[in-house]
Amino acid sequence: MPQQQEIRRSAFLPTTKDEVRRLGWDQLDVILFSGDAYIDHPSFGTAIIARVLEKQGYKVGVVPQPNWRDDLRDFRKLGRPRLFFGVNAGAMDSMVNHYTSFKRLRSNDSYTPNGAAGFRPDYAVTVYTKILKELFPDVPVVIGGIEASLRRVTHYDYWQDRLLPSVLVSSGADFLSYGMGEKAMVQMARYLDGNPDNLALRDLRQTVYFSEDSPSDDGNTIVLPSYEECCKDKKAFIKGFNEVELQANLLSPKRLVEPCQGGYVYVNEPFPPLSQKELDEVYDLPYTFLPHPRYKGKTIPAYEMIKNSITIHRGCFGGCSFCTIAAHQGKFIQSRSKESVIAEIEQLEKVPGFSGNLSDVGAPSANMYMMGGKDRSICLKCRRKSCLYPKMCPNLYHSHLPLLNLYRDIDNIRGIRHSFIGSGVRYDLLLDEKGFLDDTSREYFTELISKHISGRFKVAPEHTQDHILDLMNKPSFRLFGVMKKEFEKICQKKGLRQQIVPYFISSHPGCKLSDMKALAENKDLKGVFTEQVQSFTPTPMTRSSVMYYTGLDTKTLKPLFVEKNISRQREQKSYFFKK
């Protein structure tokens, strides 16, 4: 195994043969292919995985946005890696990146220099993998990232309007790493580097592989309905999805096996959630926080949006039916230490152009920092998807005091002018229909509105109709009315002119045009800045997408109204603006 090495903060990972030579390397151990531009910032998965592997002593190269339509020189330029190729589509599923909810091709790509479109293929993981396996058939290919993670088993593909098998099978990759892959990719490198720990395939945590060998009845393996069975029977697909979702939300999940095309897709158990020390180590690596110099003179919109932001935790226990966060990052919150967050901010202050304004101190949900089960033994037995719905778990530690203290420590850093919260705030962690849950909730909300928003407070009630919110796993809209009154009290008391910006979803399963009419006419939206509505997009591995495909309520198996006509979907969205 290579010796761990300290990396100069000014050094980028090589992207060309010349850059490899300048480092004095003859061959790379791992070469990562990505559908995104290469940005050495911890908001981007490629940068994290590259830095984690590098810290372990592996020589890593990055090939961003390779050209798949010419003579394929981009796939050859760094040569043959000693261990494996890693492939991801980028920070988004390539189909979500390319197409609107109405299946129209987007004219730009925020993860490409100057926002240009057309620099990655549809189904990028599959396209890149097939090219690599054709050029280097004997070199292992490990796929990961959002696209691979959320397509790891049978899934509904909105753009083809049919079920697809695991992307591991359709791409021809050797392995799939799902979820947040730091530990899994280091484990994979060690496994392929002579297997010093004598790991067998079944021992590779958080890894998916294909085998013709049938599973043994070991008491720790669950066999899912086959891909072929799911294609024939929508209820079988729901059964398989329910099991996959359940295991993804357990602290001690079992291994899953899905029969597919004459063999078996093995989904090994994930690693436990990262400890605070482990998460700190990931974010404390020597990122430059900059795009690679190859993009000099060009603007990358996604980078411009996050370059002054800080991630303070991972995971989300909200359990929204349309969201993929828990399926990828997990339900259990993994929080960074205050010291790690402050150290990153101090490094960010050295980045050219930093003005002292943090655009977001957040995470998937802004206000879940340091929250979790008070008694971990209860969490070990828990089978709930959400800690908040249909009501808050009594075992949930939900104090906002740690987050308040973090905000205050950040604001005391010399050179920091403002720290804004751009991530969505879960107001059901602050209030119930009687008011604030505790004094820390009131204090947090007051300080948030007074100091940490720049005129507009973003929240996501998603709808106003309770029967749709129930399908979404979201609280009743009555809670929005309670929050709005408290918001207005604070603004009046502090002399502030702030606005609430609620986000809504149209055409979600169960939603009819009459429901959008009721939403548009809701009295609690009077005087509210209502310009944010998006039409529901079925994305792989969400409960809402399963409902969309099957036309069934996944909890009761009863028939469910689903608007699949695109012109009527447009009508639902546009009705919102007719009021």
Side-chain angles (χ1 to χ4, degrees), residues 282-337:
V282 169
Y283 283 90
D284 293 348
L285 291 169
Y287 307 96
T288 62
F289 301 98
L290 293 168
H292 191 275
R294 64 191 284 150
Y295 307 120
K296 186 176 181 179
K298 297 179 180 179
T299 298
I300 303 172
Y303 170 69
E304 295 300 317
M305 183 174 69
I306 61 85
K307 66 181 181 181
N308 296 330
S309 68
I310 302 292
T311 299
I312 60 174
H313 75 259
R314 287 181 180 176
C316 180
F317 51 70
C320 300
S321 299
F322 48 81
C323 184
T324 60
I325 291 169
H328 186 66
Q329 292 194 8
K331 180 178 80 172
F332 298 94
I333 302 304
Q334 302 149 69
S335 299
R336 296 171 63 185
S337 69

Side-chain angles (χ1 to χ4, degrees), residues 103-373:
K103 299 186 180 180
R104 292 181 63 113
L105 189 64
R106 298 184 193 274
S107 59
N108 55 21
D109 183 340
S110 295
Y111 296 87
T112 299
N114 293 335
F119 279 77
R120 85 184 80 213
D122 287 356
Y123 305 103
V125 164
T126 297
V127 172
Y128 293 163
T129 299
K130 286 185 173 180
I131 291 171
L132 289 168
K133 293 307 289 184
E134 182 178 340
L135 295 175
F136 305 94
D138 58 330
V139 178
V141 175
V142 183
I143 58 177
I146 285 284
E147 183 163 299
S149 180
L150 301 182
R151 295 174 181 264
R152 59 187 181 258
V153 292
T154 297
H155 57 280
Y156 173 64
D157 184 85
Y158 174 59
W159 301 272
Q160 295 186 42
D161 192 26
R162 66 187 183 97
L163 296 187
L164 297 180
S166 166
V167 68
L168 177 74
V169 174
S170 56
S171 68
D174 298 277
F175 302 99
L176 185 158
S177 172
Y178 67 92
M180 306 300 278
E182 296 91 356
K183 282 189 171 183
M185 294 302 281
V186 170
Q187 169 193 243
M188 181 59 65
R190 291 174 178 168
Y191 175 78
L192 295 172
D193 194 10
N195 198 4
D197 300 319
N198 296 314
L199 288 170
L201 279 173
R202 64 165 295 123
D203 300 322
L204 294 176
R205 280 181 172 265
Q206 215 159 308
T207 298
V208 184
Y209 66 93
F210 185 81
S211 174
E212 294 182 356
D213 296 334
S214 58
S216 59
D217 185 10
D218 60 3
N220 195 47
T221 298
I222 296 171
V223 179
L224 303 171
S226 69
Y227 165 65
E228 291 79 10
E229 186 180 355
C230 290
C231 290
K232 294 176 183 177
D233 183 355
K234 290 181 177 179
K235 290 184 179 179
F237 177 50
I238 291 175
K239 179 182 177 181
F241 171 81
N242 285 342
E243 191 61 60
V244 171
E245 184 183 63
L246 171 64
Q247 295 301 318
N249 285 289
L250 297 180
L251 261 181
S252 297
K254 295 185 176 182
R255 183 168 69 152
L256 301 175
V257 181
E258 183 181 68
C260 179
Q261 298 183 4
Y264 301 88
V265 174
Y266 284 80
V267 184
N268 288 340
E269 305 98 310
F271 283 99
L274 294 184
S275 67
Q276 185 174 91
K277 179 177 182 294
E278 290 171 331
L279 189 61
D280 283 355
E281 287 172 352
V282 169
Y283 283 90
D284 293 348
L285 291 169
Y287 307 96
T288 62
F289 301 98
L290 293 168
H292 191 275
R294 64 191 284 150
Y295 307 120
K296 186 176 181 179
K298 297 179 180 179
T299 298
I300 303 172
Y303 170 69
E304 295 300 317
M305 183 174 69
I306 61 85
K307 66 181 181 181
N308 296 330
S309 68
I310 302 292
T311 299
I312 60 174
H313 75 259
R314 287 181 180 176
C316 180
F317 51 70
C320 300
S321 299
F322 48 81
C323 184
T324 60
I325 291 169
H328 186 66
Q329 292 194 8
K331 180 178 80 172
F332 298 94
I333 302 304
Q334 302 149 69
S335 299
R336 296 171 63 185
S337 69
K338 175 184 68 175
E339 291 76 18
S340 175
V341 171
I342 290 175
E344 182 176 333
I345 293 171
E346 290 172 345
Q347 290 299 327
L348 196 61
E349 287 183 285
K350 301 173 185 177
V351 174
F354 181 69
S355 63
N357 293 317
L358 297 173
S359 59
D360 186 22
V361 177
S365 291
N367 57 323
M368 291 185 180
Y369 181 72
M370 293 291 186
M371 294 186 182

Side-chain angles (χ1 to χ4, degrees), residues 435-458:
F436 287 106
L437 297 179
D438 56 28
D439 290 340
T440 72
S441 299
R442 182 188 303 276
E443 190 176 1
Y444 173 80
F445 196 54
T446 301
E447 193 158 317
L448 177 73
I449 302 307
S450 305
K451 298 181 179 180
H452 299 290
I453 63 173
S454 56
R456 291 179 177 175
F457 176 49
K458 300 175 184 177

Side-chain angles (χ1 to χ4, degrees), residues 35 60 66 80 96 109 199 249 257 278 351 363 372 398 421 438 443 487 490 509 514-515 517 524 547:
V60 184
R80 178 189 301 268
V96 178
D109 183 340
L199 288 170
N249 285 289
V257 181
E278 290 171 331
V351 174
H398 57 85
I421 311 305
D438 56 28
E443 190 176 1
F487 176 88
I490 293 169
S514 58
D515 294 310
K517 180 178 185 291
D524 281 327
M547 288 189 278

